[in-house]
Amino acid sequence: MTPALFKDELMSGSGNITVWINSPGGDCVAAAQIYNMLMDYPHDVTVKIDGIAASAASVIAMAGTKVLMSPVSTMMIHNPATVAWGDAGEMERAIAMLETVKDSIINAYEIKSGLSRAKLSHLMDAETWMDANKAVELGFADGILSRTQAGDEAPPAGSALFSQAAVVNSLMGKIAAKCRIEKPNTTPTGRSVDSLMERLELLKF
């Protein structure tokens, strides 16, 4: 779905709209364009996440007047990434570009969630995955879809959030524990070498 195709479909009707999202993400510039179209749309925009809203797709979701998530859906936020080639100057420009893009993404998350920029930056650094309850708890979503009423609904107790960094660190800790080599017991036992040599000398006779 390109921004141009999205715009054509968006402008083909009028009144309140519902945008269903099930996407692992994609180009952050295209996502920014779609986000801006939805923010400028003159009527209510209800976003319903029925599978996954990850990476750039999570930015689009933030444009919803109301964001609702399926109880089995997930949302993921992380730092923007790119591929760069060239000398040190090119690498520095790529880093500066990524920092600028991250700041722009944080703008969308901050407007919707109300979380501090520092908190949002840490969540992005950790590549954070949220279930529907955690997304509502943190302000990324407004409610959870239900069979009886597809409106706001208080999330049930318990929510889940995990980050790639935490999972990797936990796994590495378990591997290290499994592979740990116990130090051999160096406490001397039995006879000394000298006493054994003396014994051998006696046996010669």
Side-chain angles (χ1 to χ4, degrees):
M1 174 60 73
T2 66
L5 289 172
F6 184 85
K7 184 176 183 180
D8 289 342
E9 187 171 346
L10 180 65
M11 298 305 174
S12 64
S14 61
N16 299 338
I17 61 169
T18 297
V19 179
W20 290 88
I21 295 180
N22 177 31
S23 170
D27 183 78
C28 61
V29 176
Q33 289 180 282
I34 294 173
Y35 170 88
N36 290 332
M37 292 177 201
L38 292 174
M39 290 293 285
D40 289 340
Y41 189 72
H43 304 283
D44 286 344
V45 176
T46 299
V47 169
K48 295 183 179 181
I49 301 169
D50 60 344
I52 183 173
S55 190
S58 70
V59 176
I60 294 173
M62 299 300 100
T65 310
K66 182 183 292 183
V67 179
L68 304 174
M69 293 181 66
S70 160
V72 293
S73 64
T74 55
M75 183 181 291
M76 185 273 279
I77 66 174
H78 66 169
N79 287 330
T82 190
V83 176
W85 179 88
D87 59 17
E90 291 294 335
M91 297 300 105
E92 289 171 357
R93 282 188 283 275
I95 291 170
M97 180 270 292
L98 287 174
E99 290 175 346
T100 299
V101 172
K102 179 175 181 176
D103 281 340
S104 68
I105 292 172
I106 288 177
N107 289 338
Y109 293 150
E110 183 182 25
I111 291 169
K112 180 62 182 176
S113 70
L115 296 174
S116 71
R117 298 183 71 84
K119 172 69 172 177
L120 290 166
S121 179
H122 290 322
L123 291 173
M124 292 172 71
D125 290 343
E127 185 178 303
T128 300
W129 293 76
M130 295 168 274
D131 68 359
N133 296 330
K134 180 58 71 172
V136 172
E137 181 183 321
L138 293 179
F140 290 95
D142 302 299
I144 299 176
L145 294 170
S146 68
R147 179 186 294 272
T148 55
Q149 182 180 0
D152 284 343
E153 186 173 302
S159 59
L161 176 149
F162 66 91
S163 71
Q164 183 184 56
V167 171
V168 170
N169 289 338
S170 175
L171 178 61
M172 293 303 292
K174 291 177 180 177
I175 292 174
K178 283 281 187 182
C179 298
R180 185 178 294 115
I181 299 174
E182 298 294 337
K183 292 183 179 180
N185 186 359
T186 57
T187 305
T189 58
R191 298 180 176 182
S192 67
V193 174
D194 290 340
S195 66
L196 289 173
M197 290 300 294
E198 290 177 2
R199 181 63 178 168
L200 286 172
E201 289 297 327
L202 290 173
L203 291 175
K204 289 180 182 180
F205 302 100

